[in-house]
Amino acid sequence: MGKWQKMTKEELETQYSPSRWSPRLDKDAVIQAHVQMLTGGTRDAQAATQTLLNVPYGMDEGEKLDVYLPTVHTETFPLVLYIHGGYWQFLSKDVSGFAALPLVSHGIALAAVGYNVAPKGRLEEMVRQVRHSIAFAVQQYTGISGIYLLGHSAGAHLAAMVLSTDWAKFGVVPNIKGAFLVSGIYDLEPLLHTPENDALHMSREVAEQNSPLRRVSKLEGRRACQILIGIAQYDSPEFRRQSQEYFEALRAAGWSASLLDIGDTDHFDIIEKLSQENYLLTQVILNMISI
Ligand SMILES: Nc1ccccc1C(=O)C[C@H](N)C(=O)O
């Protein structure tokens, strides 16, 4: 048993409130600034990139992709699927193109995945939607040379769930070459005891079945796929513990996984800075994709 079980309700709530740990700004200001950075970054990326916005990947209104295409046309290119964060309740694909510019200028496409956040969407539905979006992308775009997942916070959780997909149900086996999981949550159980679950309505069973940490043995495709787990210096100790544990579990199961602890970042700017080409994580991603 980890030590979160011994925490008071208040302590657990604090540990699982990323906004309370930023040394830059107070909790409301950091979220406001985050939304501003994502919105502005996405606007800039859309102004400078060839895009395909609101491409439906399913029947539901929320099942859409925003695709940012490589600057120079090539027959084949890697595709990064970006899965946004926001505790499965906030944000959307509409503010999730901010990382596109450094990628498209290096011949890499980015697709921001829309999914139904709570209270409209339930957790199992979000997992299914994100999996479906990947199956759709590989069927739709024949020029994809490899798929890379990039997820932040709740989006890193969803990306990790994609790695344990039984693709037989989807009729395709995507060539997932890498996953960049940034400041993610890999064990949902502690959240059952926090107010975050008021909107998510997860049962214990749903939390267990959708915890990547408990599904490491079900992962497929380990030979080809590299996993990078990124964590912010100023993420909470619980968030940092979760990344460390997931990393260790992946390594123990024979995966090619690495853990990158990014100094002088918090839960929010660790991902915002992906709009900058000279940011450490941008460089690591470009190197891992290295075309
Ligand atoms: N990641 C986010 C992105 C956008 C808006 C909110 C969040 C949060 O994480 C909220 C959480 N309840 C917090 O206290 O930090």
Side-chain angles (χ1 to χ4, degrees), residues 168-199:
K169 289 182 200 151
F170 293 87
V172 276
V173 183
N175 180 12
I176 301 177
K177 291 188 170 169
F180 308 102
L181 310 177
V182 184
S183 287
I185 294 187
Y186 307 102
D187 179 7
L188 299 179
E189 202 192 335
L191 289 173
L192 293 172
H193 309 279
T194 72
E196 297 299 341
N197 202 36
D198 295 351

Side-chain angles (χ1 to χ4, degrees), residues 2 7 19 35 44-45 49 56 58 85 90 93 97 106 112-113 116 128 145 170 183 194 212 218 246 267:
M7 289 178 188
S19 59
V35 173
D44 293 349
T49 314
F90 311 103
K93 70 160 182 52
H106 285 87
V113 180
N116 286 345
R128 184 194 56 72
S145 57
F170 293 87
S183 287
T194 72
K218 295 197 174 61
Y246 189 51
H267 188 78

Side-chain angles (χ1 to χ4, degrees), residues 34 53 91 126 184 213 222 275 283:
H34 187 54
L53 301 180
L91 304 181
M126 299 177 216
L213 196 54
R222 73 182 61 168
S275 62
Q283 288 298 317

Side-chain angles (χ1 to χ4, degrees), residues 136-155:
F136 167 86
V138 294
Q139 281 163 331
Q140 183 76 5
Y141 304 109
T142 48
I144 298 172
S145 57
I147 294 270
Y148 294 83
L149 308 173
L150 169 61
H152 172 236
S153 194

